[in-house]
Amino acid sequence: MKKSLGNAGELFPQSVFIIASYDENGVPNAMNAAWAGECSRHEICFNIGSHKTTANIVKKGAFTVAPADLANVVSADYFGIATGNKVNKAEQSGLTFTKSEHVDAPVIEEYPLTMECEVTDVQGDENGARITGKIVNTLVDESILDEDGKVDFGKFKPLVYDAAHMTYRVVGEEVGGAWKVGRTLME
Ligand SMILES: Cc1cc2nc3c(=O)[nH]c(=O)nc-3n(C[C@H](O)[C@H](O)[C@H](O)COP(=O)(O)O)c2cc1C
């Protein structure tokens, strides 16, 4: 028996992306974005309201995206509940923000995986926009690489956002090979 939930839109999982940017004075900032995703192999898209981050990205044309992991859950949530319009979140978090070598945006050193992005499209403005960015470079801590030099998400422990319960969950075990387990139904 199924129950109708109207337009609840429970698409799960949602990402927990930490989007970092600089303002016009070079002050670093970071925000949490769950309405975001990889919209093609080398592009990231997100919907963003009227935030300090929005104004920064519109001005600078660049940002970085760090998927949040279990070790960084507290700062990830903090970046989603405090605003850079009122506080220097980089200082308050105690984390290390360094300038990306590829784009005009900061990298948060304590986050093990970061995509450095150039803005390719803004639908809207600093009051709210759908932003697309091209991934120029990906930085990864060696501690989360497997023997083949690929990101090992078992080691990384990425968070996902559970909008139904407003909580964070950890992505877990591997359960089957993609483009593989379905082959049993092709025989
Ligand atoms: C779990 C979570 C997910 C969020 N996702 C988004 C999002 O996708 N888009 C958005 O505009 N705001 C989102 N927010 C809210 C912003 O992160 C929040 O307003 C933040 O204070 C903006 O920071 P800033 O003003 O320093 O840029 C989210 C917050 C949380 C806690």
Side-chain angles (χ1 to χ4, degrees), residues 84-95:
N85 284 321
K86 292 190 177 159
V87 64
N88 184 325
K89 286 194 263 186
E91 280 181 10
Q92 185 69 21
S93 69
L95 300 181

Side-chain angles (χ1 to χ4, degrees), residues 29 31-35 47-49 51-53 80 82-84 89 168:
N29 191 43
M31 75 164 267
N32 181 325
W35 283 267
N47 287 333
I48 183 170
H51 303 306
K52 174 77 171 172
T53 299
T83 173
K89 286 194 263 186
Y168 301 104

